[in-house]
């Protein structure tokens, strides 16, 4: 019997008969369902406003705020005075907006929904669950790395210079040098700093003290940088520093004057300075004042 089987089939194995044309009609619903899943047309993920917002280019710094947190009106106390069309914007975020209202106010309502989500996001990321989500992004270095050589590619954290929207754009805080930097991408540089608040990075280090980076030594987590990226970053950093020094010297003609114009970033949690950092900064400012005095003396004694 096996002698009549096609080549490659083992003995006592009969290949299944080909499907009949009339049986294919029963598979049509299954095929359509599989196509909907593959294209995402039947998926709740693609229909969610929050998912659409997070997947948009330039919003990579944001994490997903859980719907239970948004629906708890206690967490949104006071936001109705800062957002126009507050009720409709909240309905848009939670995918409960009436289609007729959406057509009438779509342009302005989309801006207000972004503002409302950003302000909710600033409150969410200082909760325990929000800190845990941002911690994962921090470990992946999603916010970038410090450009200073001695920081050895330390991952950065987003921070706002004010909690009031439409005043300052987001900055990136380095836990090693305790300084702030502007994002490289113009898309990220246009994000409002109030969407992350002034307390987030410092509260993260208080909750997870084991993550406080040492002042020297290698970074213990995060993806390693490629050698080309490191060298390119150093090159561009040297160019920026040389341009800044040349510009400062041409405007003031004094290195001490340039040093006096530099502002120190002061970490705060809910408006209060962090105690240990405040003590360290007082010592650093005393050393800086002595260095500026020495520069003034050297410039005063220099021959004309």
């Amino acid at each position: 019997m096996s002698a009549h089987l096609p080549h490659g089939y083992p003995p006592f194995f009969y290949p299944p008969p080909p499907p009949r044309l009339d049986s294919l009609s029963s598979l049509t619903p299954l095929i359509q369902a599989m196509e909907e899943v593959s294209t995402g047309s039947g998926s709740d993920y693609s229909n969610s406003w929050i998912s659409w917002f997070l997947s948009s280019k330039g919003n990579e710094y944001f994490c997903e705020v859980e719907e239970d947190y948004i629906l708890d009106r206690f967490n949104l106390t006071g936001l109705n005075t800062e957002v126009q069309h507050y009720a409709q914007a909240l309905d848009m975020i939670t995918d409960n907006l009436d289609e007729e209202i959406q057509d009438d106010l779509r342009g302005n309502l989309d801006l207000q929904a972004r503002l409302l989500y950003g302000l909710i996001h600033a409150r969410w990321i200082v909760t325990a669950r929000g800190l845990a989500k941002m911690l994962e992004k921090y470990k992946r270095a999603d916010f970038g790395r410090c450009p200073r050589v001695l920081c050895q590619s330390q991952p950065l954290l987003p921070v706002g210079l004010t909690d009031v929207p439409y005043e300052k754009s987001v900055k990136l805080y380095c836990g090693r040098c305790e300084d702030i930097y502007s994002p490289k991408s113009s898309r990220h540089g246009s994000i409002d700093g109030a969407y992350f608040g002034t307390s987030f990075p410092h509260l993260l280090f208080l909750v997870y003290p084991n993550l406080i980076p040492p002042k020297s030594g290698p970074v213990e987590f995060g993806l390693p940088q490629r050698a080309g990226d490191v060298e390119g970053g150093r090159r561009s950093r040297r160019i920026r520093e040389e341009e800044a020094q040349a510009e400062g010297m041409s405007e003031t003609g004094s290195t001490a004057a340039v040093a006096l114009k530099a502002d120190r970033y002061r970490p705060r949690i809910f408006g209060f300075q962090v105690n240990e950092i405040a003590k360290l900064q007082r010592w650093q400012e005393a050393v800086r004042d002595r260095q500026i005095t020495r520069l003034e003396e050297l410039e005063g004694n220099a021959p004309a």
Side-chain angles (χ1 to χ4, degrees), residues 45-60:
Y45 182 85
S46 61
N47 294 329
S48 168
W49 184 93
I50 295 178
S51 301
W52 166 81
F53 176 79
L54 295 176
S55 62
S56 300
K57 288 185 177 180
N59 294 336
E60 291 82 6

Side-chain angles (χ1 to χ4, degrees), residues 130-302:
L131 286 171
K133 285 195 173 186
M134 293 295 279
L135 175 61
E136 295 303 318
K137 298 175 72 67
Y138 173 59
K139 288 182 176 180
R140 296 194 302 265
D142 288 352
F143 310 113
R145 297 178 181 273
C146 183
R148 285 188 174 170
V149 176
L150 294 179
C151 288
Q152 300 188 22
S153 302
Q154 170 68 33
L156 301 172
L157 285 167
V159 66
L161 301 182
T162 176
D163 293 313
V164 180
Y166 300 126
E167 288 195 359
K168 297 285 186 179
S169 61
V170 67
K171 301 296 180 182
L172 298 173
Y173 174 75
C174 175
R176 281 204 176 195
C177 60
E178 300 170 9
D179 211 343
I180 55 174
Y181 303 89
S182 297
K184 291 182 179 180
S185 171
S186 58
R187 287 194 182 99
H188 297 152
S190 62
I191 299 176
D192 200 316
Y195 297 166
F196 297 89
T198 57
S199 305
F200 161 66
H202 321 298
L203 190 61
L204 181 74
F205 288 137
L206 280 183
V207 175
Y208 302 99
N210 59 307
L211 295 180
I212 298 177
K215 298 305 176 186
S216 62
V219 179
E220 296 182 357
F221 62 86
L223 298 176
Q225 278 192 321
R226 294 176 296 180
D229 295 340
V230 175
E231 186 61 30
R234 290 175 180 172
R235 238 187 343 260
S236 60
R237 185 164 54 251
R238 282 197 301 268
I239 295 173
R240 289 196 302 269
E241 290 175 354
E242 291 171 0
E243 291 176 350
Q245 289 175 0
E247 182 180 355
M249 291 299 292
S250 62
E251 291 180 355
T252 63
S254 170
T255 307
V258 174
L260 285 170
K261 287 174 62 177
D263 291 332
R264 286 295 307 275
Y265 172 70
R266 302 181 182 277
R268 298 179 184 274
I269 296 180
F270 303 122
F272 298 95
Q273 261 194 283
V274 184
N275 184 41
E276 292 299 324
I277 297 179
K279 290 194 298 183
L280 176 62
Q281 284 193 340
R282 284 195 292 270
W283 174 81
Q284 292 172 339
E285 288 171 357
V287 174
R288 173 189 167 191
D289 291 341
R290 291 198 297 268
Q291 292 174 341
I292 292 175
T293 302
R294 185 180 177 187
L295 282 173
E296 292 175 339
E297 292 175 354
L298 293 175
E299 290 173 354
N301 297 330

Side-chain angles (χ1 to χ4, degrees), residues 117-134:
Y117 185 82
L119 297 178
I120 296 174
H121 182 268
R123 299 183 178 189
W124 162 253
I125 61 177
V126 294
T127 64
R129 290 178 294 173
L131 286 171
K133 285 195 173 186
M134 293 295 279

